[in-house]
Amino acid sequence: MMRESIKLMRALISKGSISDREDAELFRLASLQQVREELEIFSEEWDFRLITTSHNIYIVPLQDNDFFNVKLSDIRKSVSASARNIDAYLQCYIIMVIIWMFYGTKNTGTQYAESLRVRHIVDKLEERFSGQGTMSDIDDMNINFVKLAEKWNNSLMDEEGKKSKTEFVRTACRFLESQKLIRFYDDGDEIRPTLRLTDLMQNYYLDEKRISDIHRIFEKEVQ
């Protein structure tokens, strides 16, 4: 069965997931006990987890996985060739806000919003970076929130030819789209989560500890 397990792993690595509709034979193979045991060995050696839902199997790298994980340099390059680390950190924060707007409820099985308007994301970031109800630093995440706020607040809202706040948000959305986590609608003014994002959030990322961390980050106020 090793050959079948390797075939399954190859598909998961290249596509990030398999489904019972598009990959019926591979999905069936994954249900076999010997294949599951061999995949468990792969996951231990390569630092990832397999998340199985009714219709899909996803590969999720663990935090220290250098092979599968997106790197800060990848996010920086998604902004521009000349982007700095602060631009990448701001993108990470914007992505975190977007995911919080979709899923940031205390009910772990519930999606908060089915769609988001780009302008509403900008408004939420304006609120977060306004100094009201935000943190001065997120020390345990090694992020200087003040510098992120300065980067955001020093960006122009809509001046042609310059990086606007709206464009910062669109760039983050395009990165999420490239990871097959959201889709654009209404000529790019609206985003919706893919089944992949919802499956991963509800079956892996939104456990009790992560929900607690999300609310700790977004509800902590400046003392």
Side-chain angles (χ1 to χ4, degrees):
M1 301 296 285
M2 180 59 73
R3 184 179 296 275
E4 286 78 5
S5 299
I6 293 174
K7 183 178 180 181
L8 180 56
M9 276 303 308
R10 181 176 180 179
L12 284 166
I13 291 172
S14 63
K15 299 170 61 177
S17 65
I18 60 171
S19 74
D20 62 352
R21 296 171 295 278
E22 299 176 1
D23 315 283
E25 179 58 22
L26 290 175
F27 196 87
R28 183 194 67 81
L29 284 173
S31 67
L32 301 178
Q33 181 176 352
Q34 186 175 341
V35 172
R36 289 201 306 270
E37 291 173 354
E38 291 171 351
L39 291 176
E40 184 66 25
I41 294 172
F42 279 120
S43 69
E44 291 174 1
E45 292 296 323
W46 290 357
D47 294 326
F48 66 83
R49 285 191 61 181
L50 292 180
I51 308 301
T52 302
T53 66
S54 300
H55 301 287
N56 295 278
I57 301 174
Y58 302 94
I59 186 168
V60 178
L62 300 180
Q63 185 172 350
D64 296 330
N65 189 311
D66 293 328
F67 183 68
F68 293 116
N69 270 328
V70 172
K71 299 178 176 62
L72 185 68
S73 59
D74 298 323
I75 298 176
R76 189 175 64 242
K77 290 173 185 176
S78 74
V79 179
S80 72
S82 59
R84 299 176 298 158
N85 279 348
I86 187 65
D87 299 293
Y89 287 128
L90 179 56
Q91 287 293 294
C92 290
Y93 186 79
I94 293 172
I95 288 169
M96 188 164 63
V97 168
I98 290 170
I99 292 175
W100 174 69
M101 291 176 74
F102 274 133
Y103 301 98
T105 64
K106 293 182 179 179
N107 185 341
T108 59
T110 301
Q111 185 175 314
Y112 182 72
E114 294 184 356
S115 66
L116 296 173
R117 289 281 176 180
V118 170
R119 67 176 182 273
H120 293 157
I121 301 171
V122 173
D123 290 343
K124 178 58 67 175
L125 286 159
E126 285 283 280
E127 177 187 326
R128 299 306 305 174
F129 285 126
S130 68
Q132 299 176 3
T134 59
M135 305 136 283
S136 59
D137 287 280
I138 313 176
D139 293 328
D140 56 341
M141 297 178 66
N142 297 317
I143 297 174
N144 187 317
F145 190 79
V146 170
K147 289 184 178 179
L148 292 187
E150 288 176 352
K151 179 69 178 180
W152 173 264
N153 291 325
N154 289 336
S155 300
L156 299 175
M157 184 63 79
D158 279 311
E159 184 172 327
E160 185 178 354
K162 294 190 177 182
K163 181 67 74 172
S164 70
K165 294 175 180 179
T166 300
E167 184 57 26
F168 270 122
V169 171
R170 289 189 188 280
T171 299
C173 291
R174 285 193 291 268
F175 183 81
L176 287 171
E177 183 187 39
S178 75
Q179 301 297 308
K180 302 179 181 178
L181 298 175
I182 63 107
R183 291 191 180 94
F184 281 104
Y185 292 86
D186 195 15
D187 296 326
D189 289 330
E190 178 185 358
I191 62 169
R192 299 177 190 172
T194 61
L195 176 62
R196 174 188 179 87
L197 178 56
T198 297
D199 274 350
L200 290 177
M201 294 302 293
Q202 292 184 350
N203 291 278
Y204 181 63
Y205 289 108
L206 289 184
D207 63 17
E208 263 188 46
K209 182 181 183 304
R210 291 187 180 90
I211 284 287
S212 175
D213 288 343
I214 288 171
H215 284 282
R216 177 181 55 80
I217 290 169
F218 284 100
E219 293 177 0
K220 181 180 177 183
E221 295 186 353
V222 176
Q223 300 298 320

